[in-house]
Amino acid sequence: MINAIHRLDAEVRLRPVAAADAASLADALTRSRTYMQPWEPVRPDAFYTEQGQQERLAGMLADRAAGRAMPWVITDAEDRAIGSFTLSNIVYGAFCSAVLGYWVDVAYAGRGLATAAVQQICTVARDGLRLHRVEAGTVLDNAASQRVLAKCGFEQFGTAPRYLHINGEWRDHRLFQRILHDGPPAR
């Protein structure tokens, strides 16, 4: 289940990220750079290159191998990355939680793909990783992402002042969580 490929619609799949995704991630990020600017950190131009994505993926894959993260991509019919979803800061024990972050290529936005992917990831987090909860944060004016989270059963539980440095300034965020189960911690 954790490493499975999941169909999101007739053409789009959710699968674990691979080092070979660097070029298509760079392309999708470049296409979507202006669209995502209000909700993303300021990044150097090198981030939007294949080499920049290779470096980023190396870190993500190391975190996955260590059990600290589960990164996925959504891919088109040609298996090109068109979005990225990551459970990071995975912690077991009494906390048994992770933080969800995601983006979808501007050319695919508004098709319900983020909602479908977040639902699938929550299922994997509950049944595969045995997590108790998943947390996500959005800048206050990111209504689209807030709708995705609401559709997926997340509830707002607070507001964090100056939470992340986004688009050149410290921005307040709405914090959301989804409780996945109330059983005992798996580990």
Side-chain angles (χ1 to χ4, degrees):
M1 166 178 268
I2 293 170
N3 293 315
I5 298 172
H6 306 276
R7 180 184 295 263
L8 300 182
D9 75 7
E11 297 179 351
V12 178
R13 309 282 188 278
L14 173 73
R15 64 165 173 76
V17 72
D21 293 318
S24 61
L25 279 167
D27 289 344
L29 285 162
T30 298
R31 268 192 312 277
S32 304
R33 188 174 185 173
T34 300
Y35 169 73
M36 295 190 318
Q37 182 179 351
W39 306 294
E40 287 286 310
V42 174
R43 304 194 191 271
D45 289 340
F47 177 84
Y48 298 91
T49 66
E50 183 175 353
Q51 176 65 35
Q53 288 306 297
Q54 287 171 346
E55 292 169 7
R56 183 174 79 96
L57 287 173
M60 293 172 82
L61 295 172
D63 284 346
R64 179 170 69 196
R68 292 186 300 263
M70 276 302 306
W72 290 274
V73 290
I74 55 173
T75 60
D76 65 12
E78 307 301 319
D79 201 39
R80 291 178 301 231
I82 55 168
S84 178
F85 293 74
T86 304
L87 285 176
S88 61
N89 300 325
I90 295 174
V91 176
Y92 287 98
F95 194 48
C96 211
S97 296
V99 176
L100 174 67
Y102 57 92
W103 62 270
V104 174
D105 186 316
V106 64
Y108 291 82
R111 290 180 36 183
L113 297 173
T115 300
V118 169
Q119 288 283 34
Q120 187 61 53
I121 288 166
C122 285
T123 298
V124 171
R126 182 191 65 224
D127 299 342
L129 299 173
R130 304 284 319 259
L131 295 176
H132 165 67
R133 70 186 273 283
V134 173
E135 178 180 323
T138 72
V139 294
L140 299 182
D141 58 349
N142 190 345
S145 192
Q146 292 164 18
R147 279 192 303 274
V148 166
L149 295 170
K151 287 179 192 176
C152 293
F154 283 73
E155 297 176 298
Q156 183 177 341
F157 71 92
T159 301
R162 297 177 302 283
Y163 187 62
L164 294 173
H165 199 259
I166 300 294
N167 197 20
E169 62 184 86
W170 292 102
R171 303 281 306 275
D172 297 350
H173 279 61
R174 288 196 171 103
L175 302 178
F176 297 84
Q177 69 177 0
R178 178 172 166 183
I179 303 298
L180 303 172
H181 70 83
D182 284 325
R187 313 180 197 186

